[in-house]
Amino acid sequence: MGRFFRSNKWIFMLSGVFIFALIMFNIYDITVDKTEKFAYTADEIEALDIELININTADLNTLCELSGVSESTAQKIIDYREENGDFLSIEEIMEVKGIGEKTFLKIKSQITI
């Protein structure tokens, strides 16, 4: 045992264990659905008395009330709706140029279809 600690093998083993742990934590972080922490259940929405914005019927000014949605992005939502018909799911709003996953996560709890 004494020779083991005098050699550099234990450093390599500890380094390997540390790298393995980092990889495992990163894999876990990738597989966890990060959108869940932003979502509200129907009961929570009712309890909070949150007024949802219907992305299929909202006008320009109403769409601008959404977090991170500018007037130009709101117009793009309306244009997309006119060209493609009603949104079939709230996730479909990410098809609109200017609304990526980050913006979607901000507005997800504020919108409905």
Side-chain angles (χ1 to χ4, degrees):
M1 190 79 161
R3 265 187 274 167
F4 178 76
F5 286 108
R6 278 183 261 157
S7 70
N8 290 331
K9 290 180 183 177
W10 69 276
I11 293 173
F12 291 117
M13 286 182 62
L14 286 176
S15 298
V17 169
F18 180 73
I19 291 170
F20 177 76
L22 284 176
I23 291 169
M24 295 314 298
F25 283 121
N26 284 332
I27 290 172
Y28 173 77
D29 190 43
I30 291 169
T31 59
V32 172
D33 183 9
K34 293 176 179 64
T35 60
E36 287 180 15
K37 61 184 168 190
F38 296 103
Y40 290 101
T41 65
D43 292 335
E44 288 172 326
I45 291 169
E46 190 174 316
L48 293 171
D49 196 28
I50 296 173
E51 180 120 4
L52 296 178
I53 295 175
N54 187 323
I55 57 175
N56 286 326
T57 59
D59 62 11
L60 184 78
N61 291 330
T62 305
L63 290 169
C64 287
E65 294 174 14
L66 296 169
S67 303
V69 175
S70 65
E71 188 174 324
S72 64
T73 303
Q75 186 59 54
K76 289 176 188 176
I77 293 169
I78 293 169
D79 294 342
Y80 181 91
R81 197 169 66 193
E82 290 172 355
E83 292 173 13
N84 300 292
D86 286 348
F87 292 97
L88 301 177
S89 69
I90 62 170
E91 291 81 10
E92 188 180 345
I93 200 167
M94 289 188 286
E95 297 295 321
V96 175
K97 187 174 181 176
I99 299 188
E101 186 175 350
K102 188 175 179 181
T103 303
F104 175 72
L105 291 175
K106 285 183 193 176
I107 66 173
K108 179 180 180 179
S109 62
Q110 303 170 16
I111 60 176
T112 189
I113 54 169

